[in-house]
Amino acid sequence: QVQLVESGGGLVQPGGSLRLSCAASGRIFSIKDMGWYRQAPEKQRELVADIDSYGFTDYADSVKGRFTISRDHAENTMYLQMNSLKSEDTAVYYCTAKINLRDHWGQGTQVTVSS
């Protein structure tokens, strides 16, 4: 059974940084696109950033220049480095990945930006 587990969320002050991790485990043959989504209270889930198996990345306009997505193929892990955090970045962050040709989601990790 394939699992995605996020970690690294927490409470941070505006202007601070956090690094999220997403580790894939289980019987894995291939991982194609991976990405981070977030969902704030009473808002729809939105794409934050994604990265394909070649390392090409894409970002939501709201996080460009502040967030960096990366992945470690050997460790089946993806990261999201978040800098210059703002209160509007507060949300539950979910990782997703196409593993063995099927979409999988993590359980989410809470990120709260507040003074």
Side-chain angles (χ1 to χ4, degrees):
Q1 183 176 350
V2 173
Q3 278 191 317
L4 288 174
V5 178
E6 301 102 334
S7 60
L11 173 64
V12 64
Q13 292 186 342
S17 298
L18 281 176
R19 188 192 195 207
L20 305 183
S21 299
C22 171
S25 63
R27 195 171 174 83
I28 296 171
F29 300 102
S30 69
I31 303 180
K32 301 296 184 183
D33 294 355
M34 302 184 79
W36 290 96
Y37 282 73
R38 67 185 180 187
Q39 187 166 19
E42 300 181 0
K43 290 189 176 181
Q44 289 189 334
R45 190 174 295 190
E46 63 174 357
L47 175 67
V48 176
D50 58 23
I51 182 168
D52 68 13
S53 56
Y54 299 99
F56 290 108
T57 60
D58 193 24
Y59 296 90
D61 288 342
S62 59
V63 307
K64 282 181 181 176
R66 300 189 298 121
F67 291 9
T68 302
I69 189 171
S70 61
R71 62 191 285 180
D72 183 329
H73 290 271
E75 298 294 330
N76 291 331
T77 301
M78 174 179 61
Y79 304 96
L80 186 68
Q81 177 66 44
M82 305 186 294
N83 299 328
S84 303
L85 282 160
K86 305 175 181 180
S87 58
E88 50 263 44
D89 295 317
T90 295
V92 178
Y93 284 70
Y94 299 89
C95 71
T96 182
K98 186 174 290 294
I99 301 173
N100 303 339
L101 303 180
R102 293 181 62 183
D103 290 329
H104 293 81
W105 289 83
Q107 81 289 351
T109 185
Q110 176 70 45
V111 171
T112 302
V113 184
S114 175
S115 55

